[in-house]
Amino acid sequence: MSETETGTARETAAHDTVEAAVRAQLNKALGGVRGMVEAAVPTIAFTATYVAAKDVKLAVGAGVGAAVLLLLVRLAQRSSPQFVLNSLFGIAIAAFFALRSGKAENAFLPGIMLNAGYAAAMIFSIAVRWPVVGFIIGSVTGDPTAWRADPGIVRLCSRLTWLLVLPCIVRVAVQYPIYLADGDQSGLLGTAKIAMGWPLQVAALAAMAWLLARGRTPITPGAPANNEEPA
């Protein structure tokens, strides 16, 4: 057995239900509390600096500098820099938009577009009965598509995917009209992005945890599903 297969087998053994596997994998994917904080810090640095100094270049430097500092801490601790690199990539794209236009509010346009794209992709995945959360289960079982053989698991994954869609829709619905409004909206956009970043994500995860706590769907392909509440 290869090292990859051994790792998959251990992970499958550790989670005997779909619910347990999804909870573990979502937490891993988001990097826990630290990962979510690292995603927010560069935006806070960018927004606070611009509101205080009204200087796009200085604000970009603060945002990028915060991300680089977080990266150095990760490297010094010899922990995974994945989530800081994601944050650095995001702030770099935002900086490009802001510096190219000279308008601080344009730094928030990529995030709005990204959330719209995520929402559209996830809704499409639900519509075609390939909800993206299902691939979390596939990553645990070692078979990326076996979960689709169980209608109960497909329904569960669709509901969980909807809970990931909702924060994206809310962000776009609130932030895009602010972006289109007249005048410099960077301060309001920054506040909205921070308020709708990890707090909304935590709320979505709490809703998912509540849904997952209601059932115990066997993770073994072909096993009968039992993820519905008793009558």
Side-chain angles (χ1 to χ4, degrees):
M1 183 179 288
S2 69
E3 185 176 341
T4 301
E5 290 171 332
T6 301
T8 300
R10 287 174 182 168
E11 208 163 2
T12 302
H15 308 297
D16 59 350
T17 66
V18 170
E19 289 81 6
V22 171
R23 280 196 299 268
Q25 292 295 95
L26 283 174
N27 186 63
K28 183 178 177 181
L30 292 170
V33 174
R34 182 175 180 180
M36 289 186 282
V37 169
E38 288 172 339
V41 166
T43 298
I44 294 172
F46 173 88
T47 304
T49 302
Y50 184 77
V51 169
K54 297 297 181 184
D55 187 320
V56 174
K57 291 183 178 179
L58 183 61
V60 165
V64 173
V68 170
L69 181 61
L70 290 171
L71 178 60
L72 291 175
V73 171
R74 281 281 191 176
L75 293 175
Q77 295 176 341
R78 296 184 178 180
S79 58
S80 173
Q82 174 190 344
F83 303 102
V84 180
L85 289 174
N86 291 345
S87 177
L88 183 59
F89 180 70
I91 196 69
I93 294 176
F96 173 78
F97 274 71
L99 291 174
R100 186 176 183 183
S101 64
K103 296 180 179 179
E105 60 264 32
N106 282 346
F108 301 96
L109 183 58
I112 296 171
M113 294 170 63
L114 189 61
N115 274 280
Y118 280 154
M122 286 189 285
I123 290 172
F124 178 76
S125 78
I126 295 169
V128 298
R129 294 182 60 77
W130 284 88
V132 295
V133 173
F135 293 100
I136 293 175
I137 298 167
S139 70
V140 175
T141 62
D143 188 330
T145 61
W147 56 273
R148 293 198 75 246
D150 190 325
I153 295 180
V154 174
R155 286 195 299 270
L156 173 65
C157 292
S158 294
R159 293 169 187 167
L160 292 171
T161 302
W162 272 118
L163 291 174
L164 291 179
V165 170
L166 289 176
C168 295
I169 293 176
V170 171
R171 289 171 189 139
V172 174
V174 172
Q175 294 174 28
Y176 191 57
I178 296 174
Y179 173 79
L180 293 177
D182 294 333
D184 183 1
Q185 302 296 329
S186 55
L188 189 54
L189 279 169
T191 301
K193 181 169 183 177
I194 294 165
M196 295 181 173
W198 64 265
L200 265 186
Q201 205 65 50
V202 169
L205 290 175
M208 294 174 84
W210 173 80
L211 180 61
L212 290 168
R214 297 166 63 194
R216 290 184 58 81
T217 307
I219 203 167
T220 305
N226 184 31
N227 60 326
E228 302 294 336
E229 283 188 311

